[in-house]
Amino acid sequence: MTGAKPAIVIHGGAGTITRADMTGEKEAEIRAKLQESVQAGYRALMAGESSSRAVIAAINVMEDSPLFNAGNGSVFNAAGNHEMDASIMEGAGLNAGAVASVSQIKNPIDLASRVMTDSEHVMLMGDGAEEFARQQGFKMMDPASFYTDFRWQQLQRIRAREQAKADQKDQWYSTVGAVALDMQGNLAAGTSTGGTCNKRWGRVGDSPIIGAGTYASNSSCAVSATGHGEVFIRHVAAYNICQRVELGTPLSEAADTVVNDILVKANGEGGVIAIDRYGNIATPFNSEGMYRASIDTGGAMDISIYREDGEAEGALVGNVDH
Ligand code: ASP
């Protein structure tokens, strides 16, 4: 299938700043970064690179930006530390790599990719993952270098709320991800995150779990998720969508069923980005918004945060603290 028209979709999380709290300036900043990310991935595809290289290029841009909860900008856990997770999967041979609970890696998606290409394993975690990184020549970061004042203040707000036992619904889903179709007709998906703010240390969400937060198979589609990780794990969200597509359900219907029916019934707030081997794209979410951008097989770029006119209303619209 060499000569296929490439396409890419990215997300910067389903826990967007609410419309009410969004300023023109902030929105412009987020849109510019989404555009930089999607264009970085698309450039790689147009240069003939693989879908997994494109996914990494797109995710690196968001990991390096403090605007998103991945790499630089990752949330703090309850112990005041960073524990980052990432995974990547190639649709062409079901190769996959993942890392969980790393705190010294600037771009966790790069390490996930290295686990895929240079180890016999699919997932490495914590100290073992970082020892592997050292052996692979990765630059080790001081964990304190991931500090951002914005995320620290967010942790303090959540702690205060929990102490006051306020019954409030707050989500911090600004994980990043990308899915792509390359000129060879191969699909890939990747996801990178700091997890959820104030999570218990040792907690691992869906993002590094193949099948839950990330999945790609050339016989169906590529999916990257963002949202309430525990629910996405229970419903094997990414694989769930791919399996439906493999059995003949159109991509948009499969993604919509999982996000707006199965996950909604389970109270699982969030969304996914998905692309199939024909370049069809789906970006359903059941939250107020989802930072997202795409460049389709015709070269048309779209950058969106909230629901477009005509898009179905999500059933789980909460008080979201970015
Ligand atoms: N899904 C991520 C997790 O549960 C959070 C997110 O999407 O921001 O770790």
Side-chain angles (χ1 to χ4, degrees), residues 180-230:
L181 170 68
D182 64 26
M183 285 182 185
Q184 283 67 45
N186 292 322
L187 294 168
T191 310
S192 181
T193 189
T196 49
C197 189
N198 202 33
K199 65 187 178 183
R200 190 185 175 97
W201 75 265
R203 177 266 188 189
V204 176
D206 60 315
S207 308
I209 298 183
I210 298 302
T214 303
Y215 198 78
S217 167
N218 278 4
S219 59
S220 54
C221 59
V223 177
S224 169
T226 168
H228 188 166
E230 282 71 9

Side-chain angles (χ1 to χ4, degrees), residues 170-188:
D170 291 290
Q171 281 80 32
W172 295 271
Y173 307 134
S174 47
T175 287
V176 308
V179 295
L181 170 68
D182 64 26
M183 285 182 185
Q184 283 67 45
N186 292 322
L187 294 168

